[in-house]
Amino acid sequence: MHKTTTAAEQENARESAKKFLYNVLTEILPHPEDITINYSIGPQTTIYKVTCNKKALGQLIGAKGKMITCIRTLLAAKMARTGVRAIIEIPYSPLKAWDDFD
């Protein structure tokens, strides 16, 4: 049976999930000072936008996307208890990334 959560409990859960996500990413990725996590709240979903050092994107995504898939699964499981759907986005522009390698 799913318990109903208040708006304040959901906001606390979102902040807790943000800290959880940050802790996981700082253990996995180099340059933890370059990791930022922002979130936006939609009608039914919280979207966490993760940015990191461009050179660490491969480590964040992992081979065939396995690393980011695992992180997304952990976040979804953590948030499911509160009834909040959460997804992770990695804002990334391939054209801008090529400019960084010049």
Side-chain angles (χ1 to χ4, degrees), residues 8-99:
E9 290 171 331
Q10 288 180 350
E11 185 60 31
N12 287 340
R14 287 182 182 104
E15 283 296 322
S16 173
K18 180 179 175 181
K19 290 176 188 173
F20 169 78
L21 189 54
Y22 182 80
N23 289 335
V24 168
L25 295 177
T26 55
E27 292 296 323
I28 295 170
L29 301 176
H31 309 293
E33 65 277 0
D34 294 339
I35 298 170
T36 59
I37 302 169
N38 296 312
Y39 65 89
S40 58
I41 304 167
Q44 297 178 351
T45 305
T46 302
I47 302 169
Y48 290 88
K49 295 185 180 179
V50 175
T51 57
C52 65
N53 189 311
K54 297 271 192 251
K55 295 177 182 174
L57 279 173
Q59 290 175 307
L60 174 59
I61 296 169
K64 297 183 183 178
K66 288 182 181 180
M67 182 65 76
I68 192 65
T69 301
C70 290
I71 295 169
R72 286 176 171 150
T73 302
L74 288 170
L75 183 66
K78 179 172 178 41
M79 296 301 285
R81 294 178 44 198
T82 61
V84 176
R85 183 171 178 264
I87 60 174
I88 300 173
E89 283 186 356
I90 305 168
Y92 174 64
S93 170
L95 296 176
K96 188 172 186 321
W98 283 109
D99 294 341

